Amino acid sequence: MARAELMDFDKALELFEPVIGLEVHVELNTTTKMFSSAPNPANSQFHVADPNTLITPVCLGLPGSLPVVNGEAVKYSISLGLALGCEIAPSSRFARKNYFYPDLAKNYQISQYDEPIAFDGQVEVELENGRVFTVPIERAHMEEDAGKLTHVGGSTGRIQGAEYSLVDYNRAGVPLVEIVTRPIFGGEADTPALAKAYVATIRDIVLSLGISEARMERGNLRCDANVSLRPRGQEKLGTRTETKNVNSMRSVERAVRYEIQRQAAILAGGGTIIQETRHWHEDTGATSAGRPKSDADDYRYFPEPDLLPVVPSKELVDELRAALPEPPAVRRRRLKSEWGFTDLEFQDVANSGLLIELEATVKAGATPAAARKWWTGEIARLANAAAVDASGLVSPEHVAELAQLVDSGTLTDRLARQVLEGVIAGEGSPQQVVDARGLAVVSDDGALIAAIDEALASQPDVLAKIRDGKVQAAGAVIGAVMKAMQGKADAARVRELVLERAAQTA
Amino acid sequence: MSEITAEQVAHLANLARIALTDEEIEHLTTELGQIMHAVEQVSEVATPDVPPTSHPIPMQNVFRDDVVGTTVLTADEALAGAPESDDSRFKVSAILGEEQ
Amino acid sequence: MSDELIRLSAAALGAKLASGEVSSVEATRAHLDRIAAVDGAVHAFLHVEGERAIETAAEIDRQRAAGAPLGPLAGVPIAIKDVLVTKGMPSTSGSRILEGWIPPYDATPVTKVREAGMIPLGKTNMDEFAMGSSTEHSAYGPTHNPWDLDRIPGGSGGGSAASVAAFEAPLALGSDTGGSIRQPAHVTGTVGVKPTYGAVSRYGSIALASSLDQIGPVTRNVLDAALLHDVIAGHDPLDSTSIPEKWPSMADAVRRADVSGLRIGVIKELDGEGFQAGVRQRFHESLELLEKQGAEIVEVSAPHFEYAIAAYYLILPAEASSNLAKFDSVRFGLRVTPEGGGTVEQVMSATREAGFGPEVKRRIILGTYALSAGYYDAYYGSAQKVRTLVQRDFDAAFANVDVLASPTAPTTAFKFGEKMADPVSMYLNDIATIPANLAGVPGISLPSGLAPEDGLPVGIQFLAPAREDARLYNVGAALEQLLEARWGGPLLAQAPDLSSHELTATEEGAL
Ligand SMILES: [Mg+2]
Ligand SMILES: [Zn+2]
């Protein structure tokens, strides 16, 4: 597709004020689906399943089948609402949203319309540059996910040009909470970063609540970004576009930035923005036009007659409120002081979106410094190279084990990096990789001394220099020993021993 | 209330995914007009002070335990009624519109 | 022997099975023979189980021989309205779009019937997706009224009512959204009960209008209805709207059959204009009989009932338009591909165009309209308010009386084709039955005699407050005793003998 004309970002900001609204769909990780007792693929224990095996008559919309609400999903939704600072509706209802699509078994989605379970909240979001925003939440409502379509034929695997499509209804009925913000003003040049930080915050929240696996690459968390621009000094909001299914945090930032630049170019050229859905393309880093809003969007909402109102008791809401984990902002402050990090060090961790991993790693026995070093260092580097999220690469438990192996002297940093690669490659736990690859440090002084003596004997001039007090000269011997040991030696120990032997062999 | 037009009926048929013939649309336009005329009287008594009833027997908080149930189907059972499948998934012809 | 067996009530047959006087295989065979003999003329069935029914019967006979504890209806054959899904048995809801579909699961009432040891004989005909009052809207051709094969058997459950009236089955399951159990009972001289909304699970009942649908018994007498009611009612966790509380025995209420001191309210608005003279005459005679037994008859008013049909014909199509969206050619049922292929949208539209009959399309379009943006408040929203007003009318009436009474429907069975051209006049048929569905209250229709002017059956309807279904069985049983004493036996004994009528009706291609 032809790439749209883009305006320079700074220039766009000069002329226009960006306003965004974000819709995040969270797949809950309950054992079963929202309205049926089928296993829920958004729960990790059922993530791997053959097509159309996590199915009851309800998931297929078979004639005669009826929905029944998963009580646990309701509790999760209330907890999430509370964590978003929302009011919990004393009575809320399900509604049918009617539209035909082959992945929607009943050709209506059970959702909530005028009576969502949670409304009027706000979330504190901290940007990478330290700016803190309060994002207003309009509502959070319960609904069900649709099935999955695979487009076959054509070249791209995309919908255009496909010969036919295949439908797997395993995902149909997965419990969702859709969180809708109010229009977010004042982001200015930070708007793309704000969008990303907001999604990261939602991820932090649902993970700390334990109500979702929150893996964006699996679609557990999906973001639709509404973007509009208004000329400086104008009161009225501009026409917005809705970019659908932006499925990584990095892409959220890029997509918002792209839309700002694209819309600015159109508006500055005297054009108008069409209210439409747009699709984000990870490969090209661009959005493309989708369906314009039309009267085909007449969803004919009406109260779901097969389901009854949800009327949470005050006791239940109080109980769930009391059980809430600390808000991410509070948690950050606490962790920062507990870990004794400098502002810069902490920011480094927070920006990488790895607080949860870090905390879990420390909990598993690593020192905060070691945990930080691994996650923001080697692991982040490998994740970046593979273009995946670091959190999905390796478990905190394995990182802690790795750090301990270094601490105890079993591994050098260099060896540990090799072990990490093995762990990521699926060769097992760090100890298993060490054993299998034979990577442990040679801590047997006898073996080291033998190697040192051999090296000293072959380099008599070096020995003389050391004896003359030119200690730096030891480096050549250390290098030779490390080489002989294939790197599996602790360089500091080798150095100690070299100096010792040099003195002794006088 | 305004009269129903053939264009409206055609639009409704599109929303309801029924490929009505022109003859059917014409027919239905007349019939719908008569039916709507007969049912419009509901607005006479549906004053703002009357609350709507969506369930004849009021109940609330009907929930299910979060436990895998006994109504789970095998893939074979799920696909048995399909007009077309590739043995593990339902098959449909190309999609004009895009994902919702 | 075989003719005797088919004329037994379900309760009597159950007793003979229990005593070992007859086997379930014999009883089932007798009914299958009857179906073979007369269903060509009546066309009550869309599917007959045949040998599989015999196998099921043999299994029950084995269990009985082994001394297994069995209920009062064990071994008794039953017909099932095709609105209920049946595992391994075709389920079409009277529609072409589901032709040949074999569901992978049983509806809860079917499960309960099977657990009670009853023998499913097959699936009965109905108006397509239960939309209609005459069974003329079945995609598979109409059912004929056993009293007069040129007349409608009522609808939508004409098949179930006719199967029972024609002695093809001792009892049947029906569904009632606006009168589809009671109105067919009225025109076929049988008994039909719409239980309190939520008394019987809707799980596996192919939904027409979710907030109105209710499954119930179709029988030849009040005791049989009560026995079947006791089998199918009860909480089902698979239906959120299912009432969790325990129910008293309806069969016990039948055995009470005592109306002394019972206050019966006659609904003024359903006892005048628009009701056929013979229908009203039999209605008032029934009331007099009850009065003589000590019941107190009072007139009550339900001023909002006149809006009930209008509200019903907004709520029903609205819910139906959404419920019927699932018939899209993707997962089950018919698929029609336009010539030269087409997109999935075009396939869906072509399938629904070819698979739905005119009445179904009419109501889907109507419901789509009533829910569409800008019209919701005026139509669906207002109709939901009328629902409140109808409920208030019931509440006010039941503050004064124990049960309400009215004729079940305005006229006796009309002839085929008489009302097909005018949907509004067809809709008026349900004027007396619809209010109960809007309010969720239970209703029974039982025969009150034959209209003198045309010799066709008419029914009387009783309504009770929600959850007070037992009152209907009490008053129904009392009236039935009084009437049968007067008639010298069941009303159906006066029905024409179909076995002599033979198969000529369909062979001549009456319809
Ligand atoms: Mg669909
Ligand atoms: Zn949503």
Side-chain angles (χ1 to χ4, degrees):
Chain A
M1 104 213 62
R3 200 179 160 89
E5 203 185 311
L6 300 183
M7 182 183 281
D8 173 71
F9 185 72
D10 294 339
K11 173 86 168 134
L13 261 294
E14 233 169 74
L15 297 174
F16 302 101
E17 181 196 354
V19 180
I20 57 169
L22 299 166
E23 291 163 30
V24 174
H25 282 89
V26 179
E27 284 187 336
L28 302 180
N29 63 359
T30 46
T31 305
T32 63
K33 295 187 185 179
M34 186 72 223
F35 303 113
S36 127
S37 62
N40 174 12
N43 177 303
S44 51
Q45 64 174 311
F46 303 118
H47 174 63
V48 179
D50 288 334
N52 293 304
T53 54
L54 308 178
I55 294 288
T56 70
V58 177
C59 312
L60 286 183
L62 289 190
S65 63
L66 292 171
V68 184
V69 177
N70 181 344
E72 197 69 4
V74 172
K75 288 187 192 166
Y76 283 18
S77 305
I78 294 173
S79 292
L80 179 50
L82 291 169
L84 297 169
C86 288
E87 303 279 319
I88 301 304
S91 176
S92 83
R93 271 202 298 191
F94 291 98
R96 290 189 189 176
K97 179 182 183 181
N98 294 284
Y99 65 91
F100 281 83
Y101 210 74
D103 62 6
L104 189 64
K106 305 178 293 298
N107 290 319
Y108 58 81
Q109 180 194 31
I110 306 179
S111 181
Q112 297 193 294
Y113 181 50
D114 50 355
E115 297 181 43
I117 185 126
F119 57 94
D120 280 355
Q122 66 284 314
V123 172
E124 206 177 283
V125 173
E126 198 176 331
L127 269 52
E128 298 189 8
N129 62 12
R131 246 180 112 184
V132 175
F133 262 94
T134 301
V135 172
I137 305 293
E138 182 182 311
R139 58 188 281 157
H141 67 252
M142 301 181 277
E143 59 182 28
E144 56 177 338
D145 212 339
K148 246 184 197 148
L149 281 163
T150 308
H151 307 296
V152 183
S155 53
T156 55
R158 288 223 184 103
I159 197 161
Q160 290 86 4
E163 283 162 41
Y164 60 93
S165 301
L166 296 169
V167 203
D168 169 13
Y169 291 99
N170 278 351
R171 199 180 64 182
V174 166
L176 290 177
V177 175
E178 179 178 343
I179 306 164
V180 183
T181 69
R182 293 187 190 286
I184 305 168
F185 300 92
E188 295 298 347
D190 287 330
T191 302
L194 171 57
K196 176 187 177 188
Y198 170 76
V199 177
T201 305
I202 298 294
R203 180 173 172 272
D204 281 353
I205 290 173
V206 299
L207 281 172
S208 66
L209 287 167
I211 60 172
S212 174
E213 308 296 322
R215 297 181 59 163
M216 291 194 81
E217 76 279 10
R218 284 186 186 171
N220 297 147
L221 216 63
R222 308 197 288 268
C223 180
D224 302 339
N226 292 278
V227 177
S228 72
L229 300 183
R230 57 178 172 187
R232 295 281 160 196
Q234 178 182 302
E235 180 82 24
K236 194 170 162 281
L237 288 178
T239 304
R240 69 189 160 86
T241 61
E242 181 179 14
T243 304
K244 288 272 193 192
N245 288 328
V246 195
N247 289 338
S248 77
M249 281 184 274
R250 206 169 84 93
S251 305
V252 172
E253 182 170 15
R254 290 170 73 205
V256 169
R257 191 181 175 89
Y258 180 89
E259 269 303 288
I260 291 173
Q261 292 180 271
R262 188 188 67 86
Q263 291 185 18
I266 292 171
L267 291 169
T272 51
I273 304 300
I274 308 160
Q275 190 178 346
E276 62 187 359
T277 47
R278 297 189 66 85
H279 298 284
W280 170 250
H281 304 280
E282 193 67 53
D283 44 355
T284 58
T287 65
S288 68
R291 202 170 43 87
K293 292 270 172 196
S294 72
D295 50 2
D297 293 325
D298 187 345
Y299 291 125
R300 290 157 285 137
Y301 281 101
F302 71 104
E304 166 58 279
D306 287 328
L307 295 173
L308 296 147
V310 175
V311 184
S313 68
K314 192 182 169 303
E315 291 71 39
L316 174 66
V317 175
D318 287 347
E319 190 185 305
L320 294 172
R321 195 192 309 273
L324 285 184
E326 58 190 335
V330 175
R331 185 163 137 266
R332 283 160 183 256
R333 287 192 281 275
R334 175 177 61 77
L335 290 178
K336 180 164 172 286
S337 87
E338 274 179 19
W339 292 345
F341 286 179
T342 64
D343 282 358
L344 218 67
E345 286 170 338
F346 191 80
Q347 208 58 55
D348 197 25
V349 178
N351 289 351
S352 57
L354 292 165
L355 275 182
I356 285 163
E357 284 72 22
L358 217 71
E359 196 181 9
T361 307
V362 171
K363 202 174 154 209
T367 64
R372 187 180 74 81
K373 189 183 91 176
W374 282 104
W375 280 106
T376 61
E378 186 64 7
I379 301 172
R381 192 184 65 76
L382 291 171
N384 214 21
V388 295
D389 278 346
S391 57
L393 219 48
V394 56
S395 76
E397 290 70 27
H398 284 169
V399 177
E401 191 182 327
L402 194 69
Q404 280 166 325
L405 287 171
V406 174
D407 270 3
S408 66
T410 308
L411 291 177
T412 61
D413 272 11
R414 209 181 76 113
L415 287 173
R417 283 197 290 276
Q418 288 180 45
V419 172
L420 179 64
E421 273 166 28
V423 172
I424 289 170
E427 291 167 25
S429 71
Q431 187 61 59
Q432 284 166 335
V433 175
V434 166
D435 293 344
R437 291 197 184 184
L439 287 175
V441 164
V442 178
S443 50
D444 170 4
D445 280 359
L448 291 176
I449 288 167
I452 288 166
D453 288 350
E454 200 185 315
L456 286 174
S458 64
Q459 299 182 69
D461 50 328
V462 174
L463 182 61
K465 281 180 186 169
I466 295 173
R467 283 192 188 142
D468 286 353
K470 289 180 181 158
V471 179
Q472 315 90 290
V477 178
I478 296 168
V481 171
M482 291 303 284
K483 194 174 172 193
M485 304 306 297
Q486 292 168 309
K488 291 186 281 184
D490 180 350
R493 180 67 187 148
V494 172
R495 184 184 157 82
E496 259 174 51
L497 289 174
V498 169
L499 297 180
E500 226 170 77
R501 293 304 290 170
Q504 283 169 16
T505 49
Chain B
M1 226 125 322
S2 55
E3 287 303 304
I4 296 176
T5 64
E7 291 74 59
Q8 251 177 313
V9 173
H11 169 64
L12 294 169
N14 183 43
L15 273 181
R17 289 267 194 281
I18 306 177
L20 293 179
T21 62
D22 290 347
E23 203 187 335
E24 282 178 305
I25 289 176
E26 195 185 311
H27 234 90
L28 272 170
T29 306
T30 313
E31 283 174 351
L32 278 192
Q34 288 163 358
I35 296 168
M36 292 319 289
H37 186 73
V39 298
E40 266 167 15
Q41 53 160 319
V42 290
S43 52
E44 289 170 19
V45 285
T47 48
D49 56 306
V50 181
T53 294
S54 37
H55 292 94
I57 307 293
M59 295 197 284
Q60 59 192 36
N61 292 337
V62 177
F63 301 132
R64 174 173 59 74
D65 288 343
D66 188 22
V67 178
V68 175
T70 55
T71 56
V72 178
L73 301 173
T74 63
D76 283 349
E77 285 174 319
L79 290 155
E84 231 186 315
S85 76
D86 76 345
D87 289 335
S88 72
R89 284 170 296 182
F90 297 86
K91 191 169 173 182
V92 296
S93 47
I95 297 165
L96 178 66
E98 67 217 47
E99 271 133 297
Q100 296 273 338
Chain C
M1 175 65 189
S2 151
D3 192 56
E4 236 170 75
L5 279 182
I6 59 167
R7 284 175 188 276
L8 290 172
S9 71
L13 178 57
K16 282 188 193 292
L17 289 164
S19 72
E21 199 180 319
V22 287
S23 71
S24 179
V25 167
E26 287 172 289
T28 303
R29 180 96 57 207
H31 285 94
L32 290 172
D33 288 350
R34 174 69 172 180
I35 292 169
V38 304
D39 207 52
V42 177
H43 192 225
F45 283 88
L46 294 178
H47 167 80
V48 179
E49 274 289 83
E51 279 313 302
R52 278 228 305 233
I54 299 292
E55 282 164 28
T56 312
E59 172 57 27
I60 296 296
D61 286 338
R62 269 193 296 277
Q63 287 179 22
R64 196 185 301 279
L70 296 170
L73 294 179
V76 174
I78 184 168
I80 298 168
K81 188 178 180 181
D82 210 26
V83 77
L84 291 161
V85 303
T86 42
K87 189 170 182 170
M89 245 194 268
S91 305
T92 69
S93 208
S95 180
R96 194 65 73 192
I97 211 162
L98 274 182
E99 189 167 9
W101 181 57
I102 311 230
Y105 76 110
D106 270 331
T108 297
V110 173
T111 303
K112 293 197 173 218
V113 155
R114 289 194 207 268
E115 283 168 0
M118 303 184 73
I119 317 297
L121 289 172
K123 307 298 288 290
T124 58
N125 198 12
M126 55 186 285
D127 286 296
E128 183 176 4
F129 288 111
M131 295 180 185
S133 310
S134 67
T135 321
E136 290 169 287
H137 295 302
S138 167
Y140 304 98
T143 296
H144 300 254
N145 191 322
W147 288 82
D148 177 348
L149 294 172
D150 293 332
R151 291 177 188 268
I152 61 109
S156 63
S160 280
S163 75
V164 169
F167 300 96
E168 295 171 279
L171 27 65
L173 289 174
S175 74
D176 190 313
T177 304
S180 291
I181 288 174
R182 290 162 290 159
Q183 181 260 10
H186 165 92
V187 294
T188 57
T190 58
V191 175
V193 177
K194 181 203 96 72
T196 296
Y197 181 84
V200 181
S201 173
R202 292 185 295 116
Y203 188 75
S205 168
I206 299 174
L208 169 54
S210 311
S211 73
L212 302 165
D213 296 346
Q214 184 60 201
I215 301 300
V218 174
T219 60
R220 288 193 292 264
N221 68 40
V222 177
L223 175 60
D224 286 359
L227 290 169
L228 183 52
H229 191 133
D230 286 339
V231 167
I232 59 176
H235 181 243
D236 180 10
L238 299 176
D239 174 2
S240 305
T241 59
S242 166
I243 293 174
E245 287 83 16
K246 277 234 174 283
W247 293 89
S249 158
M250 302 300 151
D252 286 352
V254 169
R255 289 175 191 117
R256 253 188 330 270
D258 177 9
V259 294
S260 56
L262 190 80
R263 286 172 66 84
I264 300 174
V266 175
I267 305 163
K268 191 169 76 179
E269 289 79 5
L270 297 176
D271 182 28
E273 209 192 321
F275 284 79
Q276 192 179 318
V279 171
R280 290 192 63 209
Q281 183 188 330
R282 296 301 181 217
F283 173 60
H284 285 280
E285 285 167 8
S286 294
L287 293 177
E288 281 156 29
L289 283 177
L290 289 167
E291 199 168 20
K292 273 186 208 149
Q293 289 298 304
E296 195 183 334
I297 311 294
V298 294
E299 191 183 77
V300 300
S301 175
H304 295 101
F305 279 21
E306 68 168 291
Y307 299 96
I309 287 193
Y312 176 82
Y313 278 101
L314 287 167
I315 292 168
L316 179 143
E319 293 184 8
S321 70
S322 177
N323 283 333
L324 268 55
K326 59 172 62 86
F327 301 98
D328 64 359
S329 81
V330 177
R331 294 160 308 284
F332 44 79
L334 183 72
R335 172 174 294 181
V336 173
T337 306
E339 229 172 292
T343 63
V344 68
E345 289 86 347
Q346 289 162 335
V347 173
M348 284 182 183
S349 297
T351 300
R352 290 163 64 79
E353 163 67 9
F356 289 145
E359 180 65 17
V360 174
K361 290 182 204 170
R362 183 152 52 220
R363 294 202 197 181
I364 289 176
I365 297 294
L366 180 59
T368 304
Y369 180 59
L371 289 175
S372 59
Y375 298 99
Y376 179 93
D377 287 340
Y379 293 140
Y380 192 76
S382 295
Q384 299 278 47
K385 290 182 169 196
V386 169
R387 206 164 177 171
T388 307
L389 297 171
V390 168
Q391 280 199 333
R392 287 179 185 170
D393 281 0
F394 272 116
D395 290 346
F398 286 128
N400 281 317
V401 300
D402 301 304
V403 295
L404 293 167
S406 79
T408 309
T411 68
T412 54
F414 47 88
K415 290 203 160 145
F416 288 117
E418 224 173 84
K419 300 194 176 181
M420 281 294 270
D422 181 1
V424 175
S425 85
M426 183 80 95
Y427 296 171
L428 284 172
N429 234 281
D430 302 328
I431 187 162
T433 46
I434 279 172
N437 299 82
L438 289 176
V441 304
I444 188 173
S445 176
L446 64 142
S448 59
L450 302 178
E453 59 268 40
D454 54 20
L456 290 167
V458 300
I460 178 170
Q461 170 180 244
F462 294 101
L463 303 169
R467 301 169 201 256
E468 297 295 341
D469 306 46
R471 288 187 201 173
L472 302 177
Y473 287 101
N474 176 43
V475 66
L479 177 60
E480 184 181 63
Q481 276 177 22
L482 298 166
L483 287 169
E484 289 193 356
R486 175 183 278 196
W487 300 328
L491 189 67
L492 271 170
Q494 300 174 42
D497 181 3
L498 291 168
S499 55
S500 66
H501 210 286
E502 281 311 322
L503 305 181
T504 49
T506 39
E507 278 161 9
E508 284 166 11
L511 253 172

